[in-house]
Amino acid sequence: MDNNFAFAIILALLAGLSTGLGGILSFFVKKNNMNALSIGLGFSAGVMIYISFVEILKKSGDSLCLYLGESSGELVNLVAFFIGIGIAALIDHLIPDHVDPDMLKESSITDKEKKQIFSKEKLARTGVFTALAISLHNFPEGLATFMSALNDPALGISIAIAIAIHNIPEGIAVSLPIYYSTGSKKTALKYAFLSGLAEPAGAIIGYFLFAWLFNDLAFGLIFSAVAGIMIYISLDELLPMAREYGSGHLEILGVVLGMMIISVSLILF
């Protein structure tokens, strides 16, 4: 049991750290390439939209239907999804933009520079917001990986590989806007790794505190709400900025690429 426990924790940790690999991949794009940024933001949105509708909502619906029955489960799944959107909208409203108004009153700052300041602050804010959403998504995934490995190591390995593959584009989604807004690889990588550490944190905290509560109902509610949060971030933050930094065609190219890569990972793993 002790050996299985350590093995399960290591699997959850490795799956989570793959977000850091995604963060590293984002550094290969030249920092001042706005077209690449537009495609990257569209890519991030494509990943989050596809994984929310195709994987997360399906899993949450299956869990809720098992617990509540088919009709009630589907209804609760939709309600929790829109509650997730509402939570994201509330967080968005409460989080300040972090722009110092006194600095913007300085006569030496041009309108173009003011616009650049707002753009960078909004981009950084979006990256942090995305990291929060992905952390919430990774937390129950870490518990699922851990519990599977604890009971069946072979199954745990399969699940960990699948989650690791999915986490790579999620790491790009977190690190890219932060890297472009701050110019700091260290800061971008830190947020990517921290969002991934929600996996082993979910495993450890969930096992000791919440495992007895982690039934099909709790799993379904958490995942459907997280899907709603991800959809809000994609539509309200990532896609508008992708168009602002590039063009509609580049934005759509990024979305399609993100959906294509995450869909292939779902099929293969």
Side-chain angles (χ1 to χ4, degrees):
M1 181 66 178
D2 290 339
N3 290 336
N4 279 358
F5 185 90
F7 178 72
I9 289 293
I10 291 171
L11 276 185
L13 177 62
L14 292 176
L17 290 179
S18 63
T19 58
L21 177 58
I24 292 171
L25 290 176
S26 68
F27 302 150
F28 288 92
V29 179
K30 291 183 178 179
K31 185 178 176 296
N32 294 322
N33 189 338
M34 292 298 104
N35 287 339
L37 177 58
S38 178
I39 293 173
L41 292 170
F43 177 91
S44 302
V47 168
M48 295 177 73
I49 291 170
Y50 191 93
I51 203 171
S52 295
F53 283 127
V54 175
E55 185 186 36
I56 299 177
L57 272 180
K58 183 179 182 300
K59 285 183 177 180
S60 63
D62 290 343
S63 297
L64 291 169
C65 287
L66 280 174
Y67 193 89
L68 300 171
E70 188 169 347
S71 298
S72 298
E74 289 177 355
L75 177 61
V76 171
N77 193 33
L78 288 175
V79 170
F81 170 74
F82 286 108
I83 287 175
I85 291 177
I87 291 172
L90 179 61
I91 294 173
D92 190 22
H93 176 71
L94 294 176
I95 295 177
D97 290 333
H98 298 297
V99 176
D100 184 356
D102 291 332
M103 180 180 64
L104 295 180
K105 290 178 183 177
E106 303 240 356
S107 58
S108 59
I109 297 179
T110 65
D111 289 339
K112 182 179 180 181
E113 288 173 331
K114 290 178 182 179
K115 185 177 180 181
Q116 289 175 341
I117 291 170
F118 274 116
S119 294
K120 284 189 175 183
E121 291 286 353
K122 187 175 181 182
L123 198 56
R125 185 171 175 268
T126 297
V128 175
F129 205 179
T130 301
L132 175 61
I134 289 177
S135 297
L136 292 172
H137 172 215
N138 287 346
F139 191 91
E141 273 192 355
L143 180 56
T145 302
F146 175 81
M147 296 301 292
S148 299
L150 199 61
N151 293 295
D152 184 348
L155 176 61
I157 291 173
S158 299
I159 292 174
I161 291 173
I163 290 174
I165 295 296
H166 302 162
N167 282 350
I168 291 173
E170 290 177 359
I172 296 173
V174 171
S175 63
L176 191 66
I178 293 176
Y179 174 50
Y180 267 75
S181 63
T182 65
S184 171
K185 294 181 179 181
K186 183 178 179 181
T187 301
L189 196 58
K190 178 181 73 173
Y191 277 97
F193 271 113
L194 285 176
S195 64
L197 288 178
E199 297 257 359
I204 296 171
I205 296 173
Y207 179 75
F208 287 108
L209 298 179
F210 305 119
W212 61 281
L213 286 174
F214 202 74
N215 54 22
D216 287 325
L217 178 62
F219 180 91
L221 291 174
I222 291 171
F223 263 51
S224 53
V226 167
I229 292 172
M230 286 188 166
I231 292 299
Y232 179 90
I233 293 171
S234 298
L235 299 182
D236 187 69
E237 303 277 344
L238 293 172
L239 290 179
M241 278 196 297
R243 182 156 298 193
E244 178 182 339
Y245 285 103
S247 67
H249 293 298
L250 291 176
E251 171 193 11
I252 294 301
L253 174 61
V255 170
V256 172
L257 286 174
M259 289 184 172
M260 182 176 66
I261 290 175
I262 200 67
S263 65
V264 170
S265 75
L266 288 172
I267 293 171
L268 295 179
F269 299 95

